[in-house]
Amino acid sequence: MDPVPPLPDQPRITNATLSDVARAAGVSAITVSRALNQPHLVRPGTLAKIQAAVRETGYAKNRAPAEHGTDRSKLVALILPTVANPIFADMVQAASDKLTDAGYQLLLGLASYEVWREEILVETVLSRRPDGIILTGTLHSDNTRRRLQSISIPIVETWDLTPFPIDMLVGFSHEEVGNTVAARMLTKGYRRFAILTADDPRASRRHLGLQAALGRQGIEVVATDVVPTPASLQLGREGCARLLARHPDIELVICSSDTLAQGAMTEAVSRGLRIPDDLAILGFGDLNFAAHTYPPLSSVRVDGSLIGALAAHAIVERLTGVPPAKRMPAVTDTGFQLIERGST
Amino acid sequence: MDPVPPLPDQPRITNATLSDVARAAGVSAITVSRALNQPHLVRPGTLAKIQAAVRETGYAKNRAPAEHGTDRSKLVALILPTVANPIFADMVQAASDKLTDAGYQLLLGLASYEVWREEILVETVLSRRPDGIILTGTLHSDNTRRRLQSISIPIVETWDLTPFPIDMLVGFSHEEVGNTVAARMLTKGYRRFAILTADDPRASRRHLGLQAALGRQGIEVVATDVVPTPASLQLGREGCARLLARHPDIELVICSSDTLAQGAMTEAVSRGLRIPDDLAILGFGDLNFAAHTYPPLSSVRVDGSLIGALAAHAIVERLTGVPPAKRMPAVTDTGFQLIERGST
DNA sequence: CTGTTAGCGCGTTCAA
DNA sequence: TTGAACGCGCTAACAG
């Protein structure tokens, strides 16, 4: 079907307005507006005339005056660090689907894990008067918090929990992840822990939780290696190599993402280490590939799609006037799950 | 730093307008507008007064009236099939960076490889009068083409080449990929080819190109297996299993993505097949992980970041009035590269 | 079911 | 360097 020659039809009248359509249809502008937005309020005959006139004039809807007049933009902003991390890509996909279904469009802002970027993005985004905002994390600049608290649209913070959300919250406790991992790995007999983490605030929280939990058992993390975001297999290999160089006797490397973990495994295997006997490795995210590495990767499963869908859902519920009693709670713990597959 | 208690400051006056700020600063609204958008046209003293008034009133910019009045939205729409495929995620990231730098915001639409969804998305997106549009592929509905041809904003089609672009084009030839792969694999001595492909129009084009090139040598593809999008490792395994069940003697499986290829490799290895001697496998995309599979995956490298950056760049150049002579060409071939690593 | 009136709050254009 | 007048095109509110 492709390539295709240029279509014969010539450009229609661009920028036809409602009045143009109205004139062509022999009705008033407001009737055209109704025909387009609330067709059930218009008599079928009139509707047909108007539809013909729309085609004839090549009319394309124009939301700018509508937004100006009504202050409803049908826009929802999603602000996240990056879309290169598959857990965020999943979130975007799920949020986009839900929002599109509900008649909203997605304004995307990527903040690269930097609070100051987020601040700028929020300010820019607010200039479009979005009907709702989805943020990543609960760590924002004071300006951002103040600005967001002063407005009355639904806001969802995601991927985290906090006692002081700006508005709504969909996520899980990163400290709790650390606790759970510590408890389980101690049970399995590991004592010499290393951390391989990307430079990401939520990952740090998980590892602080881990260290605290280990500390309560009198155990210290032997070594920590921090790599820049976004993580890659290469960074995982290199990080693992540094850890092993400094501390050849570590038993377990806990990684802040599956990608780092897979890179670390590659390094370990290439050195002839047996996994998990010589070196155990734990990932985070539990991405699709975790079940398909050699050996299959143990990982903490979190669900980006779920977070995206729930966040979008929370916003749409508010906007469509679902009564508070029937809405999802303002704080939703999406949970996580430690999955063991053979690398620990 | 987190959790954080609620900030003490109370909500400022929401929806303060330029006039409110003007009153507080003792100037006219238009001067405030200038102070915000073209500060160099305002005397420093006045500027300072206005900045104070902005803080005092909690003024937040409002683009709606501006858009209504001027028909420039500072919005660029990016329409693609999905963001779950990392090559598209790379593209989004790169495009977003470029556009943000140039002062534009990103409106994201996901069309799931379906032309009718794209048609709806384009129509919806046009209602916001974006300053530019980036599309994926060159295959659109007649309505979409007609609509887009009738408007005068910069439009870039991506990930493909065609003699009849709507406006600008950034991509590579999928038929050419097929040709190149065929030529090289024939040279290496493979004769019994199988195809494992996701249900995606550009992938199909590549495989048609492959089949045509093989046909010219009197060789037929032994078997084809089509899986739904989005691809996954699991689908790759299953597809490979089906191919081997039907035709145990195939020598080479050419996959429409690295993900499928890796899944296929997993299946082959689990059956005790040696790669590439018993079965060779070729991927597409050359994602980061391709170099880190066992054996490392041969793949056709394409660069999503490059495509995203060039597409955004082309739009910005037009919008910022770079003279045609200094602009990038309307059609840019981003090329591809066959990388052999050990799986072929 | 359809029409009339009025106003949303900016930026553009021109004048001072 | 600053200001005044105007209009962008739609929809809310009310009337018929």
Side-chain angles (χ1 to χ4, degrees), chain A residues 72-114:
Chain A
R72 305 201 70 238
S73 62
K74 287 285 180 182
L75 220 46
V76 171
L78 174 54
I79 296 181
L80 28 90
T82 170
V83 84
N85 186 328
I87 62 177
F88 290 128
D90 285 351
M91 180 190 183
V92 172
Q93 189 82 39
S96 170
D97 290 348
K98 267 255 187 282
L99 292 173
T100 302
D101 285 353
Y104 293 87
Q105 284 175 266
L106 184 62
L107 192 62
L108 185 71
L110 304 180
S112 310
Y113 293 99
E114 306 204 55

